[in-house]
Amino acid sequence: MKIGVAGTGAVGGYFGALLEKAGNEVTFLAGGKRLEKMRAEGLTVESEAGNFTVSGTFTEYTSHFKILTCFCFV
């Protein structure tokens, strides 16, 4: 499934990362230093259930959300 997450903060990043880890194609909308860091290092989730990093698609342009199965505003 192709999923877009608008608002890649604590909540959007967490659920988007879980969806990416489950095998979905996730595009994360972010900006500034957060976007730069995710592009360089991926998106890391640290939780009591375990830590993991995903390397989804990270963008600052909503035009990358043209063909999606699901779009999440967080």
Side-chain angles (χ1 to χ4, degrees):
M1 185 179 317
K2 293 183 178 183
I3 300 168
V5 175
T8 309
V11 175
Y14 176 74
F15 286 108
L18 288 176
L19 290 165
E20 176 80 24
K21 185 178 176 187
N24 297 286
E25 184 180 328
V26 181
T27 300
F28 297 90
L29 181 67
K33 291 181 180 181
R34 179 176 290 152
L35 175 62
E36 292 174 21
K37 184 170 181 166
M38 288 188 297
R39 282 182 171 163
E41 302 173 15
L43 175 59
T44 300
V45 171
E46 297 177 358
S47 74
E48 293 180 12
N51 303 339
F52 63 95
T53 301
V54 296
S55 55
T57 301
F58 306 105
T59 185
E60 58 190 327
Y61 303 108
T62 56
S63 61
H64 291 141
F65 291 135
K66 288 182 179 177
I67 302 173
L68 297 174
T69 309
C70 178
F71 188 59
C72 306
F73 287 98
V74 198

